[in-house]
Amino acid sequence: MRSIWKGALTFGLVNVPVKVYSATEDHDVSLHQVHNKDGGRIRYQRICEVDGEVVPYQDIDKAYDDGEQTVVLTKDDLASLPSERSREIEVVEFVPSDQVDLLTLDKAYYLEPDSSSPKAYVLLRKTLEQTDRTAIVRFSLRQKTRLAALRVRGDVLVLQTLLWADEVREAAFPSLDESVRISAKELEMSASLVDSFSKDFDPEEFTDEYQAELRTLIDAKLEQGDAIDTDATFGKKEEEDGGEVIDLMEALRASVERSRAARSGGADTGNADEKGKAADTKPAAKKKNAKAS
């Protein structure tokens, strides 16, 4: 990995020199746009609307337009801002880790100690672990002031940028204001369903199915040309009947049985499937129960 930024973590009078690395990477298949008529590649050019010339990236500045006037901001202008010149990751406060809303978490970065002795780095890491606290820090990166959460992952300090409070939209849905009655039996059955699916999370068990299917499609077209049979390539999948659940309790009961059967190696799967179908085909007369969902 190559570092993208160098600076120092500071809290109080303690200074921890660090290098910053991007902690994640994109694994998506790289695609480009083409003209569907002849396959010609579509390319985008930066064209000046005054003289019609294509402008090299190094000759492009930024500007702000308030509707009446335009202010051009050069690269030197932007680089002169005090925040942009700062090479500090300043710890603002230490907060209980459970107070950091997961919705606000954005891009993650690894921090590597950048000094002859990693003692200050290790001290901060152990302190965060023992106190179960997350450090809220402020720093500048790529012409933006950023707020971030500093936490521990294994032996490494991880910096995860946070969305600003006004960047998180409010969830205002009138349907959630309606009064809904949930019976104790429904809650008990729902908890039983959760229990039947419960296990320790292992991210290695999950794969990006879309990207895997996309690669399969590309390989098939490379081998067979455009006239491929997608059903033969992927197998024909029957469409599942959707729709609103009519009898919530029966659907929960069937789901629990189906999950338990799958956990036990497929025993009684047929019986669970039949009950699942029964839940989806209850008479319309029971529609009045739908509001419980």
Side-chain angles (χ1 to χ4, degrees), residues 54-206:
V54 177
V55 183
Y57 184 76
Q58 63 268 22
D59 293 339
I60 296 178
D61 285 328
K62 295 183 178 180
Y64 172 77
D65 189 342
D66 65 2
E68 296 181 1
Q69 293 180 302
T70 298
V71 176
V72 175
L73 300 170
T74 68
K75 297 178 182 64
D76 290 339
D77 289 335
L78 296 173
S80 70
L81 295 175
S83 293
E84 182 64 16
R85 294 200 309 267
S86 173
R87 310 306 289 177
E88 285 190 354
I89 302 172
E90 178 194 4
V91 174
V92 180
E93 57 190 10
F94 293 93
V95 302
S97 296
D98 60 5
Q99 289 184 3
V100 179
D101 187 349
L102 296 179
L103 188 63
T104 64
L105 294 175
D106 201 11
K107 189 166 177 55
Y109 300 91
Y110 289 134
L111 300 187
E112 179 193 18
D114 187 28
S115 64
S116 56
S117 171
K119 185 172 183 178
Y121 181 98
V122 174
L123 175 62
L124 178 57
R125 188 192 71 205
K126 287 184 175 294
T127 303
L128 291 175
E129 287 177 322
Q130 290 183 7
T131 59
D132 192 25
R133 294 269 168 167
T134 293
I136 302 301
V137 305
R138 185 167 44 207
F139 69 109
S140 295
L141 178 66
R142 293 170 179 163
Q143 298 179 353
K144 281 188 177 182
T145 301
R146 301 171 191 265
L147 197 65
L150 180 70
R151 56 189 180 83
V152 179
R153 186 176 191 267
D155 293 332
V156 180
L157 290 175
V158 173
L159 195 66
Q160 194 143 13
T161 56
L162 300 173
L163 299 174
W164 298 98
D166 60 1
E167 292 180 317
V168 179
R169 300 168 68 182
E170 181 183 357
F173 304 117
S175 59
L176 294 180
D177 295 332
E178 298 179 13
S179 178
V180 178
R181 181 181 175 277
I182 302 295
S183 70
K185 190 66 178 176
E186 288 169 334
L187 195 57
E188 178 186 346
M189 188 63 68
S190 181
S192 181
L193 178 59
V194 170
D195 185 62
S196 70
F197 276 89
S198 296
K199 61 176 296 188
D200 291 331
F201 176 58
D202 180 5
E204 296 292 334
E205 293 182 0
F206 300 89

Side-chain angles (χ1 to χ4, degrees), residues 235-252:
K236 192 168 184 179
K237 185 176 181 181
E238 294 183 5
E239 292 186 6
E240 298 180 359
D241 294 331
E244 189 172 5
V245 174
I246 303 302
D247 191 322
L248 182 58
M249 278 299 297
E250 185 60 28
L252 285 168

Side-chain angles (χ1 to χ4, degrees), residues 9-47:
L9 263 170
T10 62
F11 63 108
L13 298 177
V14 180
N15 185 290
V16 186
V18 292
K19 293 180 181 178
V20 179
Y21 300 81
S22 180
T24 59
E25 60 185 3
D26 188 357
H27 66 195
D28 289 357
V29 176
S30 180
L31 303 175
H32 59 257
Q33 295 180 322
V34 296
H35 187 188
N36 61 6
K37 179 180 179 180
D38 53 25
R41 186 162 182 171
I42 305 298
R43 298 187 182 275
Y44 294 90
Q45 296 179 315
R46 296 173 289 271
I47 299 175

